[in-house]
Amino acid sequence: MSIKVTPPPPTHRPHHLNHGDMQWLRWVVLSISVLFCIAALVAGGCIGAINQWHTAMLQGAPFYLSEAGAQAGSLLSPAMGFACCIPLTLYWAAVLMHQKNLWHRTQLSALAVVALALPGMLSVLWDTVVHTSPLLCCILLTWMLTTCIPFFSKQGS
């Protein structure tokens, strides 16, 4: 009579992500988080309230947007504004994740906010409105998440 000895089942080592996979994971989670927040703000009407405030501000001094320009609405529809947020968020998340410290992230974000707010202010020269608030929210949310959550910053890697 022979006794059969069965080998023990193979032990599974925990799979650790390498550095490149971890970078991809951080980028995807950050981008989806920001886009989800923007979609929630658009659906909740917060972006619409900001856009109304923006239009009212442009009708006063020193911009003096005409009533016809204010009634015409924004050149960017809410859907087009969100569509512009997608590539901006994907790019900006990658940029901010690779900054070494808070000072660099803050400087770049401030510059991006100014660059995106400028068309919203200068649109009165053509007696129209360009609401860039979803784009500004993308920049600010990405900055906030990379600043407040160490997982998304360079120190979190």
Side-chain angles (χ1 to χ4, degrees), residues 1-147:
M1 208 156 72
S2 69
I3 299 177
K4 290 188 179 181
V5 178
T6 59
T11 57
H12 294 288
R13 291 182 291 147
H15 180 70
H16 294 286
L17 296 175
N18 64 24
H19 182 70
D21 290 342
M22 193 61 173
Q23 289 281 52
W24 278 104
L25 176 68
R26 289 172 47 222
W27 177 70
V28 167
V29 170
L30 177 61
S31 299
I32 289 175
S33 300
V34 170
L35 290 172
F36 180 76
C37 289
I38 295 298
L41 289 173
V42 169
C46 294
I47 298 291
I50 294 171
N51 290 343
Q52 289 174 351
W53 170 80
H54 180 229
T55 303
M57 181 192 70
L58 290 177
Q59 287 181 302
F63 300 104
Y64 301 112
L65 177 68
S66 71
E67 187 65 32
Q71 293 298 325
S74 177
L75 293 176
L76 288 177
S77 68
M80 185 55 105
F82 183 75
C84 291
C85 287
I86 295 170
L88 175 67
T89 301
L90 295 175
Y91 174 74
W92 198 246
V95 167
L96 286 188
M97 280 177 39
H98 288 89
Q99 297 307 308
K100 291 184 177 63
N101 57 35
L102 173 64
W103 180 244
H104 292 148
R105 286 191 299 272
T106 303
Q107 283 180 323
L108 285 173
S109 295
L111 185 61
V113 164
V114 169
L116 286 173
L118 196 58
M121 301 299 169
L122 293 178
S123 64
V124 296
L125 295 174
W126 295 275
D127 198 35
T128 188
V129 181
V130 177
H131 292 299
T132 58
S133 54
L135 303 171
L136 293 171
C137 288
C138 282
I139 297 295
L140 295 174
L141 279 170
T142 307
W143 173 80
M144 187 177 69
L145 288 176
T146 56
T147 300

